[in-house]
């Protein structure tokens, strides 16, 4: 579903990604872990072209992200063309980014109706089904300020799913939550994994990675340091940098 080949990204003189090579299989739960500033979130944003890569290749479902190829050269797509591809990739951020003036139901319906011009009736039915899926059936008419952080994040997941994406990106979705609210969001993500959704999850929740993840990659200083099955990497890290990081978070 996702292939990254030699991806580099810099902000000015700061090299954030320094040659990322990895593959994510269809239906896989792929966990990215590493210290703050290691490049995890930047890489996630490159996957849906919210950040433009400097070199290398990134493809989703066999198609280049944000670029088209002509001969041996890559040309950046127009923003309008790139945004069409971005609709196939759902993203959930640390902060919920809900529209405060809209109800929960309106938040979930907005993109399919406004962006894809779908029928309001069809989207409403889908949105209500998704709210039930994330355990918020009774909150359709509530406003974000009336919800807990965990509830808001579950609305954000439903909103991303409303566009019927082929891939879901999660950028530390529980890091802004009070500890007692983390579980309700992870439960929704577990169910998505059971349902076969391809997911790339930047997380510090090692228990989730161990239990739900199919693959785990440890990134530090913009490079892949170690990768493997989550239980293997977490129980028996091979690289000294991985060992040092895990000793602080496990």
């Amino acid at each position: 579903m996702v292939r990254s080949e030699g991806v580099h990204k810099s902000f000015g003189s700061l090299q954030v990604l320094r040659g990322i090579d990895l593959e994510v299989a269809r239906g896989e739960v792929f966990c990215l872990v590493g210290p703050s500033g290691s490049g995890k979130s930047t890489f996630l944003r490159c996957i849906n072209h919210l950040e433009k890569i400097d070199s290398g290749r990134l493809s989703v479902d066999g198609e280049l992200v944000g670029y088209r190829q002509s001969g041996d050269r890559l040309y950046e797509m127009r923003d309008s063309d790139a945004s069409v591809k971005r609709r196939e990739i759902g993203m959930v951020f640390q902060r919920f980014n809900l529209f405060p003036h809209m109800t929960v139901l309106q938040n979930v319906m907005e993109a399919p109706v406004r962006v894809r011009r779908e029928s309001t009736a069809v989207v409403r039915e889908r949105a209500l089904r998704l709210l039930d899926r994330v355990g918020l059936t009774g909150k359709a008419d509530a406003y974000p300020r009336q919800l807990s952080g965990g509830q808001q994040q579950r609305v954000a997941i439903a909103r991303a799913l409303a566009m019927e994406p082929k891939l879901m990106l999660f950028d530390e979705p529980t890091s802004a939550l009070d500890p007692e609210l983390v579980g309700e969001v992870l439960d929704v993500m577990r169910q998505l994994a059971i349902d076969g959704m391809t997911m790339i999850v930047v997380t510090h929740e090692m228990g989730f990675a161990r239990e739900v993840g199919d693959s785990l990659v440890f990134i530090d200083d913009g490079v892949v340091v170690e990768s493997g099955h989550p239980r293997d990497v977490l129980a028996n890290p091979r690289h000294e940098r991985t060992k040092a990081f895990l000793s602080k978070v496990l």
Side-chain angles (χ1 to χ4, degrees), residues 53-77:
I53 64 175
D54 297 326
S55 62
R57 297 167 65 93
L58 256 175
S59 59
V60 173
D61 200 18
E63 297 186 5
L64 290 170
V65 176
Y67 297 88
R68 59 178 177 82
Q69 185 164 352
S70 179
D72 294 329
R73 299 192 63 182
L74 296 181
Y75 298 89
E76 189 173 358
M77 289 181 175

Side-chain angles (χ1 to χ4, degrees), residues 231-243:
R231 292 180 183 177
D232 296 335
V233 175
L234 295 176
N236 299 294
R238 299 185 303 274
H239 197 282
E240 289 302 321
R241 182 66 188 93
T242 315
K243 294 177 183 178

Side-chain angles (χ1 to χ4, degrees), residues 4-60:
S4 174
E5 304 169 85
V7 168
H8 286 74
K9 173 66 181 178
S10 296
F11 295 102
S13 61
L14 177 64
Q15 282 190 305
V16 180
L17 302 176
R18 299 188 295 146
I20 299 292
D21 294 300
L22 55 83
E23 292 187 1
V24 181
R26 191 180 307 276
E28 186 174 17
V29 179
F30 192 95
C31 297
L32 288 174
V33 303
S36 297
S38 60
K40 309 182 302 296
S41 294
T42 296
F43 178 68
L44 211 63
R45 292 171 64 86
C46 288
I47 292 174
N48 62 3
H49 206 56
L50 288 176
E51 296 289 354
K52 301 174 183 179
I53 64 175
D54 297 326
S55 62
R57 297 167 65 93
L58 256 175
S59 59
V60 173

Side-chain angles (χ1 to χ4, degrees), residues 219-237:
I219 293 180
D220 186 36
D221 198 24
V223 298
V224 173
V225 176
E226 190 164 344
S227 63
H229 191 279
R231 292 180 183 177
D232 296 335
V233 175
L234 295 176
N236 299 294

Side-chain angles (χ1 to χ4, degrees), residues 40-182:
K40 309 182 302 296
S41 294
T42 296
F43 178 68
L44 211 63
R45 292 171 64 86
C46 288
I47 292 174
N48 62 3
H49 206 56
L50 288 176
E51 296 289 354
K52 301 174 183 179
I53 64 175
D54 297 326
S55 62
R57 297 167 65 93
L58 256 175
S59 59
V60 173
D61 200 18
E63 297 186 5
L64 290 170
V65 176
Y67 297 88
R68 59 178 177 82
Q69 185 164 352
S70 179
D72 294 329
R73 299 192 63 182
L74 296 181
Y75 298 89
E76 189 173 358
M77 289 181 175
R78 295 178 300 178
D79 288 342
S80 58
D81 293 332
S83 67
V84 171
K85 294 296 183 184
R86 191 178 294 129
R87 297 173 194 174
E88 301 176 341
I89 305 172
M91 188 161 186
V92 178
F93 301 87
Q94 296 178 38
R95 296 291 173 180
F96 326 120
N97 296 331
L98 300 178
F99 298 117
H101 62 290
M102 293 183 179
T103 66
V104 165
L105 183 61
Q106 289 169 337
N107 265 281
V108 177
M109 292 178 60
E110 177 71 3
V113 171
R114 184 71 63 88
V115 177
R116 295 207 323 203
R117 308 294 184 188
E118 292 188 66
S119 158
T120 300
V122 170
V123 174
R124 178 183 173 83
E125 182 179 343
R126 184 193 310 151
L128 290 171
R129 193 166 60 245
L130 287 169
L131 290 175
D132 179 61
R133 187 176 179 182
V134 300
L136 292 172
T137 302
K139 299 294 185 181
D141 296 325
Y143 286 88
R145 65 179 180 276
Q146 298 172 308
L147 305 180
S148 70
Q151 290 171 329
Q152 290 186 61
Q153 192 62 294
R154 284 185 280 155
V155 174
I157 293 173
R159 181 177 61 179
L161 292 173
M163 291 291 281
E164 300 181 312
K166 61 178 66 175
L167 168 68
M168 285 285 286
L169 309 177
F170 292 88
D171 188 5
E172 298 191 30
T174 60
S175 64
L177 301 178
D178 293 333
E180 66 267 24
L181 302 177
V182 168

